Amino acid sequence: MTTTATAHTNIALIKYWGKADAIHNLPTTSSLSLTLDDFYTTTTVSRQPHQETDSFTLNGEIVNGQRVFDFVTLLREELGDFPTLNITSTNHVPTSAGLASSASAFAALTGAITREIGLDLDTATLSRLARRGSGSASRSFFGGFAIWHAGNDHQTSFAEHFPAPVADIVMLVVKVSEQAKSMSSTRGMQLAQTSPHYQNWVTTSAHQLVDMQSALQHNDIAKAGEIAEKNALAMHELNHTATTPFTYFTDETRALITFVQQLRQTGLLAFVTIDAGPNVKIITTRQHLTALHEKITQHFPTLATQIAYPGGGIQYD
Ligand code: PMV
């Protein structure tokens, strides 16, 4: 009567930044991500038929996880009714890394619940379900790279493993700020979609996705990094040019972008990608990691860093 699932978080190299259908969480673009090894969520679910309401414990504390409860309600609608659940989650996302955990959280939750109620679903079906909790969670079932096909309805919008070598790519996560004001990704996307550049971003993203797939298949991390940086910076440009402009960047985020771009002039392989927050993830290779890490810690001695290698797919104990 208990199931435990572990899912790792992922960082998009080609971003999801806009919804074509907010109810079903259908994106305006397909996206492609790398799953990370050190950052994951472990969730245990047990059926409690005599208990009145579902409960949710996060990192050892009972919390009112409205977003989790709403998602469980949605699963009951999609899969048919099931007994009351106790849900216990632990986020193994080092606090120093400042990464969002909704991707790993909703993937682990979907895996644990569906197994606990006796379903053995394929990963495409799991991906579709998790997408409804958090778009990026659709990509967290797969080891290495994952591609989320935008699709045009619930059935056609899901992620799958993207086969490409993972032996060389590494990310250096640089934590910029805990205090930074954050705007939810849902709200951020709504505003970004008001930018006059939005349609152009959608069109460009489709070309970048094709080029990214080719670069990764050829293990050309420099090319992949170049595309990822362009895609991410253009995503943030949408925020800066929305009808109500906003930014996730701080001065340190901007300083890091500039510094990484300068490091490239010295021959280091380093490209930035940034999500809905001020933290910077630097795409590099194992070969360049030590030199890059040294430069970053010398130049930004107060910022915490964390090395993230490619991670595996969902696991059940
Ligand atoms: O999964 P959400 O709804 O939190 O959106 C994630 C959005 C980004 O992290 C900024 C990009 C991405 O593709 O993961």
Side-chain angles (χ1 to χ4, degrees), residues 10 12 14-17 19 31 67 102 134-137 139 185-186 189 235 275-276:
N10 70 76
I14 299 290
K15 305 290 187 194
Y16 151 51
W17 198 240
K19 298 178 202 257
S31 53
R67 201 168 154 198
S102 70
S134 172
S136 55
R139 301 185 306 241
S185 49
T186 296
M189 288 179 205
M235 166 196 141
D275 294 290

Side-chain angles (χ1 to χ4, degrees), residues 10-19 25 29-33 67 100-103 106 130-131 133-139 148 184-186 189 201 231 235-236 239 248 273-277 281:
N10 70 76
I11 299 294
L13 301 178
I14 299 290
K15 305 290 187 194
Y16 151 51
W17 198 240
K19 298 178 202 257
N25 246 359
T29 61
S30 296
S31 53
L32 192 152
S33 59
R67 201 168 154 198
S101 53
S102 70
F106 281 98
R131 189 195 77 233
S134 172
S136 55
S138 68
R139 301 185 306 241
W148 172 15
S184 77
S185 49
T186 296
M189 288 179 205
W201 184 77
N231 179 269
M235 166 196 141
H236 288 276
N239 306 341
Y248 288 111
T273 186
I274 304 162
D275 294 290
K281 295 106 192 178

Side-chain angles (χ1 to χ4, degrees), residues 65-172:
Q66 198 52 50
R67 201 168 154 198
V68 168
F69 297 139
D70 289 347
F71 181 66
V72 176
T73 302
L74 191 140
L75 289 184
R76 286 196 173 96
E77 283 163 17
E78 292 289 323
L79 303 170
D81 203 13
F82 50 78
T84 307
L85 302 175
N86 275 352
I87 302 165
T88 307
S89 267
T90 310
N91 277 335
H92 299 268
V93 178
T95 44
S96 68
L99 287 185
S101 53
S102 70
S104 53
F106 281 98
L109 186 61
T110 306
I113 292 179
T114 52
R115 285 249 172 157
E116 176 62 11
I117 62 171
L119 301 175
D120 184 14
L121 304 177
D122 58 62
T123 47
T125 306
L126 290 170
S127 173
R128 286 184 194 96
L129 291 171
R131 189 195 77 233
R132 302 288 302 273
S134 172
S136 55
S138 68
R139 301 185 306 241
S140 265
F141 294 93
F142 313 95
F145 300 103
I147 183 164
W148 172 15
H149 307 286
N152 47 34
D153 58 14
H154 178 67
Q155 196 59 25
T156 52
S157 189
F158 63 94
E160 61 184 347
H161 173 65
F162 178 73
V166 288
D168 293 338
I169 192 166
V170 188
M171 279 193 193
L172 181 65

